[in-house]
Each structure stands twice: as structure tokens, then as C-alpha cells.
Amino acid sequence: MIEPFRTNLPLLRDVARVRMYTDCTMDEETILTRSADADAVMVIGFHVPDAMLDRFCGFDGGPGHVRCFAFGGTGVASYIDLARTREHGVRVCNIVHYGDHAVAEHTFALLLELAREVGRLNAEVRAGDWTGADGYALHGKTIGLVGFGGIGQAVARIANGFGMKVAVWNSHVDPMAAAGLGVDLIDDMGDLMERSDIVSLHLPLLAETAGIVTIRELDQMRPGTLFLNTARAEIVEPGALTARLLRGDVRAALDVYEREPLPLDDPLRRVPGIVLTPHVAWRNDEAYVGLTRQVVQSIRSFFAGGDFNVAN
């Protein structure tokens, strides 16, 4: 994202002095040192645990200096304690709709891998195996979406193109958007999962959505259901998805996990037929441009007294 950031930095001309490093480090001490005396910090790719937050902002009685964190993503609650920053008057910003199409396309890449196993078949043909495999038809199947914001709506449009039926858990759904995409609204999440051939999660991680998908709903998925998560692992009750998948009657493709990077001993790795990608659904050139611009706009707004993309 270095070049997209450089392209957008002129937005801060005559607003703020910028200190930018172009190497990659996740080391907390290095990040703290490089952010010395900064009023605002852009947070991309690293977590800000409470001890680090204390030193950034002086919550521990030290000489804190940061008054604004501009987060380059939508799941900021899993990176920074929003309640704590709000209590101390420190602004946290996130970004919106920067990767709607990227995540929707990756969702279908995962679904198609479950349906047609192209990766496995490619490896087999290269090894001289011409056995092949039967595919799983998407046309006419029902995909149930838990979450219907920008990403969920983009997924629905792609699903319509495949001739699929789209059902949506009816929580805070824009009725005009639902009507325009011809979706079936279902009030109970468990009922949605029971009716769907494919279940795909597209909720943001907020205080009210953390753990909202429980074992009760997951238990209602029928054997043979395909399950996708390109949203956040934390919207699922801790341990519930692993327990459900280890029963072996539901196939899944995941891009997000309770612990990232996914540990080598994580039981998810033992789930038969699971497809795993390393939290990359949002990553493409178009998303990088939108992400970096919004992060810089958040900083500019903070210094100018505005409220652009405030998350807390």
C-alpha cells in the first residue's frame, strides 16, 4: 500500500507533518518508538493491545500523545478497545465499503472451490491423475446471507448471476435494497441456516455482533450445507464453528479465524475438505486505493475538527 498512500498524502499538506516508514514491522517497541510524539497513528496490520494503548495515550499515567487512531479496515473492535478509547476521549476511525467487491468476489472464489475443487483437480492432473470429480451445482441453490451491507449486497448480485436463490437474515436490512435484489427476508437466523444450501457470513464486528452466531444456529445447518466466512471469526461464538465442522457433515471455506495467523495445531486444520485462505479477501488493487484514501481522510478530518468515519 506504499504507493497508494503516497498518492493520497497530499491531502495532509498544510494540515499535518507526516512520518512514514516503508518497511514492515509488527514489533510493538519499534512501532511505539516510530510513533513518538505523534498526535495521530494509522493502524494497519497490527493490533493495539491495552498495554500498548496505555503507552500511546497515557492511560497509565505516562506522557501519552496519541489522540486519534485511523484504522485501515472495518473490524476495528478486534484491534483496539473502543470503549476504553471512548472513555478517555481518544478518537478511533475505521473505513467503510472500500473492499465490498473484493470480499464478495473472494467469497465466490471460496464457494467455487468447494463446489468444483479446481485446486485439487489441478494438482491431480499435474500428477498424472485423470480421475476427476463430480461438481456441486450452484444454479437453483439457496444461499443464505447473514449480513446485508455493502458486501452482502454485492454477494447477492453475483449469486443472482449464477441463478441462485438468495435469502437474508432480516436484521436491520434496507427493504429497498432487499426488494431490488429479489431476496427472501427471514427473521430467525437459525431458520435461515436450516433453509439454505449455502450459508455465508457478512456482518461487521461490533459490540452487538460479537458471538451473535451461536452453536444453536450452527446446529440448524443441514448435512451437506456449505459454510463460508469472509467477515470476522469473532462474530461466531468462540469454539462453536470448530465444534460444528468437526462433526464432518458440513463443508466450509474460511478466510478469518479466532487466532491469526492460524496456529499449526488449530483443530480447524483437521476438518475434512476445508478450504483455508489467510485473511486476504479484501486485498486487491482497487481496495488498496479506497482504503488508503479513507485512512488519510480520517486523519485530515481529525485535525480539521470533522467527524469522518468515527468508529467510537
Side-chain angles (χ1 to χ4, degrees):
M1 288 181 274
I2 293 171
E3 289 309 314
F5 262 120
R6 282 178 171 154
T7 299
N8 286 308
L9 287 180
L11 290 170
L12 296 176
R13 182 167 290 135
D14 299 325
V15 175
R17 293 186 299 275
V18 178
R19 186 186 303 141
M20 177 178 177
Y21 296 88
T22 58
D23 62 327
C24 180
T25 179
M26 296 294 110
D27 179 70
E28 289 186 13
E29 287 300 326
T30 302
I31 292 170
L32 286 162
T33 299
R34 290 180 172 184
S35 303
D37 301 325
D39 299 289
V41 172
M42 300 180 187
V43 179
I44 299 178
F46 66 94
H47 288 76
V48 183
D50 286 349
M52 191 178 183
L53 187 62
D54 288 346
R55 293 175 62 185
F56 264 135
C57 304
F59 298 168
D60 58 355
H65 48 86
V66 176
R67 309 309 301 167
C68 175
F69 293 100
F71 177 67
T74 56
V76 64
S78 61
Y79 285 76
I80 302 175
D81 186 336
L82 295 183
R84 205 149 181 262
T85 52
R86 182 168 53 248
E87 177 185 348
H88 291 276
V90 174
R91 177 182 293 189
V92 178
C93 304
N94 66 346
I95 56 180
V96 297
H97 301 305
Y98 70 99
D100 289 357
H101 297 293
V103 177
E105 290 167 9
H106 193 80
T107 298
F108 261 82
L110 293 175
L111 177 54
L112 287 166
E113 182 59 30
L114 288 176
R116 302 308 303 240
E117 300 185 86
V118 171
R120 180 174 70 82
L121 294 175
N122 172 62
E124 290 180 356
V125 170
R126 289 175 179 273
D129 186 342
W130 200 255
T131 306
D134 295 335
Y136 175 92
L138 297 182
H139 184 272
K141 295 294 197 305
T142 296
I143 183 169
L145 306 180
V146 180
F148 200 59
I151 296 171
Q153 291 173 37
V155 170
R157 284 190 287 272
I158 297 172
N160 284 338
F162 273 81
M164 302 175 73
K165 302 170 186 175
V166 182
V168 174
W169 175 49
N170 186 21
S171 175
H172 305 95
V173 171
D174 179 349
M176 292 186 65
L181 290 169
V183 307
D184 182 18
L185 296 179
I186 297 177
D187 292 332
D188 182 78
M189 189 193 303
D191 190 22
L192 172 83
M193 293 194 179
E194 185 176 11
R195 296 189 197 184
S196 300
D197 302 296
I198 300 118
V199 173
S200 190
L201 305 187
H202 298 289
L203 290 172
L205 178 60
L206 306 168
E208 57 268 29
T209 62
I212 196 170
V213 180
T214 70
I215 193 63
R216 184 189 76 85
E217 287 83 26
L218 296 175
D219 276 346
Q220 291 181 252
M221 289 192 292
R222 293 176 280 112
T225 300
L226 305 183
F227 179 89
L228 309 165
N229 190 1
T230 54
R232 281 291 190 275
E234 295 90 341
I235 65 178
V236 182
E237 177 187 355
L241 180 60
T242 299
R244 180 67 183 85
L245 295 181
L246 285 173
R247 284 157 52 181
D249 63 345
V250 169
R251 297 176 62 212
L254 309 175
D255 187 54
V256 292
Y257 312 93
E258 292 179 11
R259 293 181 294 169
E260 297 182 359
L262 184 67
L264 292 176
D265 62 350
D266 193 290
L268 279 174
R269 295 180 181 272
R270 302 197 304 269
V271 174
I274 197 167
V275 175
L276 307 173
T277 56
H279 204 151
V280 294
W282 62 277
R283 287 169 56 177
N284 68 14
D285 291 343
E286 180 185 69
Y288 286 151
V289 171
L291 180 156
T292 53
R293 184 170 184 83
Q294 287 193 50
V295 169
V296 175
Q297 286 175 312
S298 295
I299 297 291
R300 179 182 177 88
S301 175
F302 167 69
F303 285 119
D307 58 0
F308 183 78
N309 280 356
V310 175
N312 63 341

